[in-house]
Each structure stands twice: as C-alpha cells, then as structure tokens.
Amino acid sequence: MDTQKIPSPTLTLPKSLTGIQGLDEITGGGIPKGRPTLVCGSAGCGKTLFAMEFLVHGAMLYDEPGVFFAFEETEKDLAINVVSLGYDLDKLVAEKKIVLDHIHIERKEIEETGEYDLEGLFIRLNYAIDSIGAKRVVLDTIETLFSGLPNPLILRSELRRLFRWLKEKGVTAIVTGERGEGTLTRQGLEEYVSDCVIVLDHRVTEQSSTRRLRIVKYRGSTHGTNEYPFIIEENGFSVLPITSIGLDHTVLSERISSGIPRLDTMLDNKGYYRGSIVLVSGTAGVGKSSLAACFSDAACARGEQVLYFALEESPQQIMRNMRSIGIDLDQWEKRGLLMFHAKRPTFYGLESYLTAMHKAVNDFKPRVVVIDPLSSFIIGTNQFEAKSMIMRMVDFLKINPITVFMTHLTTGVNDFTGIDISSLIDTWLLLRDIEIGGERNRGMYILKSRGMAHSNQIREFRLTEHGVELLDVYVGPEGVLTGSSRITKEAQEKAGQLLRSQEIENKQLALERKRKAINAQIDFLKAEFDAEEVETLNDIELNKLRENLLLQDRIDMARNRKGDIITNKNSINKARGNIAKS
Amino acid sequence: MTAKKDISETTITKKMLAKKTNDAWILRLYVAGQTPKSITAFRNLKAICEEQLKGKYQIEVIDLIKNPQLCREDQILAIPTLVRKLPAPVRKIIGDLSNTDRVLVGLDLKGLHS
C-alpha cells in the first residue's frame, strides 16, 4: 500500500523552494524538505532575512505556512525590519499564514535548581506549528539559549532531541547560528544539523563589502559549491548569478541608429537592435564615451529618454567634453530627455549601486541606458561579483526592454573582456589604438553583432569637431595603416597610380609610333616594288619586242635567202601574239 | 503511573492564605505531563513551601500539554519551571528544585531565615 509512495532511488531528495532569487538554482530546488537546515554566519550577514524570506515566500507563494521563533528580536521588531522589503507580516499573521513567536530568555531571571529539559520549547513549537498547520519553521538564533540557560550539557542533548523532533514532525526548518572561531557556529550546531549547511559571509576586501553565500554541505544532493555573491536589495535577498530569469524576455527586431551613419552602415545598414546590449571596449582614450554620447544624442533626437550612468565623470564634464566634438547633450538634459546618474560604485558598494540603478531605471523609465564605464564596477578583485551584478542588471534591463550601451575600459590590446561578460553582449564594438609611424590612431571594428550581417572591416575612427567619423583604413600588403601613414600611403598610392598610367600611355604611344613606322616602311617597300615592277615589265616588254624584231628579221632574212621557215612557224606565231599583246 | 499523585489536576490550590494578602505567595509550576522530573519538582516545592511559607502560599501547577498556549504567555522553555508570580518581581526557577539552597536563592527566601 505504502510502497507506491516510496520514491524510486533515482529520484532526488524532496526539496523545498526558498523563493530566494538564485538560491533555488544553486541548490537545484531549494533546501531539503522536512529536514533542518543550518544557516550560519557572522553578525549582520543576513541570516534573519534569509530565514524570514524563506518563511514569507513559503506562506505567500508556496502555500506553506510557517512559524518563526525569534530568540533575539521581538515580533514587533521583526515585522518592522521586513516592511522595507514589502512584506506585511502583521497581515500574514492575521491570515494565520505565519506565527511569530519571540522567545525571551533573561539569564538573571533564571535560577537553575536541578535537572530540567526543554519540553516547554517543544510544546510551544508544537503548538505553534499545529495552530496553523505550518510546514516551515525558523529558529533564529537558537544559540541564544546557551547564553540564557545554564548547563550546556543539558542544552546540547536537548538540541539534538529538538532537531530529531523537527525531522519527525516533517517540517522544513531553518536554524540560524552565529559564526564561531574556527567552527561554523559558536556552539557547534553543525554537529546536530547535518543535512544542509549554508554559510553566509559578509566581508570587506579593499574597502568594498561583498556578501557571499556558500553551501558547505547538502546531504543527498548535488549543489553548487562555489561561494556565490549575494545582495540584499529592495526586493530582498538575491543570490547571484541568476540564470533562470531573463531568458524569456521579448525580443524586438526594431533597429535604432547608433548616431554615426557610417557605423549604421557597418551594422547591416540599420544600426543596433532595440533592447540589445551594446558594449564598446577599448583602452584609455580611444573614444568610448564619445560613442556613448553619439548614441545618447541620437536616441534623444528620436525623442527617447536616456539614462546615463556616469561612473567616473561628472555630468558637466561629460557635456563639456562632448561639446568639443560637436555633440550638444545639454539641450537634451534641459528638455528632460537625458538624465545623468553620476555616482561611483565605490561610494555605495556594488550591492547598493545595483539597488540605486534599479530605482533610477524604475523612476525615469528610460528606453536607453548608458553605463560608462563598466570597468568601474571592478574594485580590487571582485570580478566575480561584478560580473554577476552586471548580469543581473543586464537581465533586468533586457526584460524591460531597454537598449543598453556600456563602455568598458580594457588594459591591453588582447584584453578583450576584462570581466568575462561576452556572452551577455549582443553587439560588441572594439576600439583600439593603432600605433604606426610615431603616431597613435584609433581603429574600430565590430567584434560581434548578433543577428545581423555586419561589416568585418576595420575603420579608422576619428573624433572631429563635428562628431565622430569613420574612415576606411588603408589595408594593403604592408598591413593596416591609419592616420598620416594612411594619408602618405594613399598619396604614394596615388602617385604610383599616376606613374603607372603614364607608363601605359607611353607604351601605347610607342606602339602607335612603331605601327606608323612599320606602315611607312610597308608603303615605301610597296612603292619601291611598284616602281621595280613597272621597270621590270617594261624591260620584259622591251626584250620581247626585241626578240620579236629579231625573229622578224630572221624571217625576213630567210625569206630573202629562200630558206626553210616552216619548222619555226610556232615560235613566229608566238612572237606575233606577244607583239599584239603588248 | 503509580507515583502519580493529585498533581494531575490543572490547578491545585492550596488556599492557605495568610491574613495579610500582601504577604501572599503565588507560585506557578509548569510541567509537561507526569514526568518523573515534574513529580520530583512538585514534591520538592511543596516541602520547601511548607517549611518556609507555611500558610501563605499558593501553588498552581500548569500542565503545558493541556494548555500549550500558556507556554508563550509565560515564556516557558524549560520544564519544569517554577515562576514566582507574587511577590513581584517575577522570578523563574528551572529544574526539578532538588537543590534547595538554590531554590531559596531563586525565590529570594534566603534572607528570611539566615
């Protein structure tokens, strides 16, 4: 009968979704169902919030009521603390979805007089669980018992019993614990809660604070073993990276101009896709911000709102600088189309910056967001967090859908990525220095552009007082030339061409001359031949006449001598004919 | 089970109040069922009260299994817990009350007889 209920061995451990963004992905579906999970970490790392989210999500999203046993904070405090996250605990309590219970222990009020146990706590828990049919339980922070009650030996055995009891009760529990020296928790709770242990950490490296989460142990399940950064933002706890959201956003096929006609030409003649992520990377001073300004300018000119996150320069500075290349951003700002949000991320810390960005985007509702530069998010060695954060932000913007234009400062020519976010990028422009002949010029090409036939040519990128210009670079057997080398080369090329065409002309002329000479020669020879011919013919004629005369003479003489002339009759006739002919 | 005396009643009131009501001691003993510890505690408490507070004390035994909601009201964790409701301030004594000296300290009775 019951055998049907037994899951097949291939089936994974039943899990309970936490509803915490990102965590359910890392754990492959949440924390173990019907078992206690230990969440530990030092003060202020977000344990209580973690537990509270687990409970509130359970009550609101998964129809699993929960019990929160707070050993440190009162019910009132708890409710106030989570109001900022948009949770109305009082309402949930009233709806019997959540029970909040503050366990107050005051050491000095308590006198120990012999053997005791924690049956009171058990009864209390049991009562709370049964009163609303709770499936989830949070004990925050149970270690407080150790400071409140004497005789740790009894406490330990009671805690062991408690965790066993929770398991038997079949509730999914989160037990929080304070981080101890050298151990996960001060009282070694990890010994008792052995199914799943999550460590939260809040550390400050190079003046910037990051929160991290790590699953130390998850019995019977695979899990991500890395340290994952997490942030506490307006809508609560969220573990990065988020891979689940943002992959089903609507895709637009509308195209928008980059603000540089020539660049649009390179991009399939149409420009960027709306709602795509554009990245311009390059070394210092290659004109990344100028490209951003061009794009902002074009967007504003279309009447779209642009939110410009300036992470390193003040708005005034940007506007002044852009004026020098003929882009007037002031007008858009005055008309309320362009808004600058200028703050360094170091000022807030990554997490709060992200929150601030969300807020700014939600308030201003832009169609284009510029982030200049992305590299400012990397402070020290927080690449991973920065990447996750950017991913998170990009997802958020993409859903909306907002076209994102980001610039990224790279340190070397081969350092394409810096933060490895290439997979996020739809259109990636690369600006680079080309150093030839003692000068530095800017070259630009499209590293990739998803979903369009784009040019593979390198263009020379020039900042002129009337904007950005893209020119063909000299590409020849001697390599890519830009700037004055290009101009020189082009001039050389032109001269060479001229020379060559002259040569051809000369050759043609020579040929013509030769032909003429030969023709003249032919004419001369012909004339000579004609003359000779006439002369020869005359000679022949003369000779013939002479012969005929001679013959005539002979005949006449023979007649005179009465000789035999018949034998020679033929030749006489011939001679006669010849005479007649001539 | 045979050891079970009459403490199974939710409230055993020993109304042996003294004439002066401000002298009254109201003690509450929280137990969870008829466990040996609870029985020991009740026995110990009674003995101490008889000796120290004869005629002016009142003991309420509260079985939390029957009234679990009281756990929360009186902030009870440990079993058995003895709460001195009166005279103020409220004091809590946990354990089976076998350490008489400490019970006296806990009830603030030490000074009375030393």
Side-chain angles (χ1 to χ4, degrees), chain A residues 546-559 572 575-576 579:
Chain A
R546 232 175 254 158
E547 206 179 325
N548 286 344
L549 281 174
L550 223 59
L551 195 64
Q552 196 67 45
D553 283 352
R554 217 178 292 155
I555 295 164
D556 288 348
M557 211 177 281
R559 208 175 276 152
I572 292 163
R576 273 189 188 138
I579 292 161

Side-chain angles (χ1 to χ4, degrees), chain A residues 446-505:
Chain A
I446 302 168
L447 200 68
K448 75 166 183 189
S449 192
R450 286 175 178 159
M452 61 178 89
H454 57 86
S455 164
N456 62 350
Q457 298 287 300
I458 297 181
R459 295 274 181 273
E460 186 175 339
F461 176 82
R462 283 184 48 196
L463 297 173
T464 65
E465 54 195 22
H466 44 267
V468 173
E469 263 182 15
L470 291 175
L471 300 170
D472 287 328
V473 291
Y474 172 81
V475 188
E478 280 147 86
V480 172
L481 296 180
T482 53
S484 33
S485 322
R486 171 179 52 83
I487 295 166
T488 321
K489 195 69 204 174
E490 276 169 2
Q492 268 176 19
E493 194 100 308
K494 217 174 253 177
Q497 223 165 28
L498 203 69
L499 214 66
R500 275 197 299 279
S501 62
Q502 271 173 357
E503 244 166 61
I504 289 167
E505 215 172 306

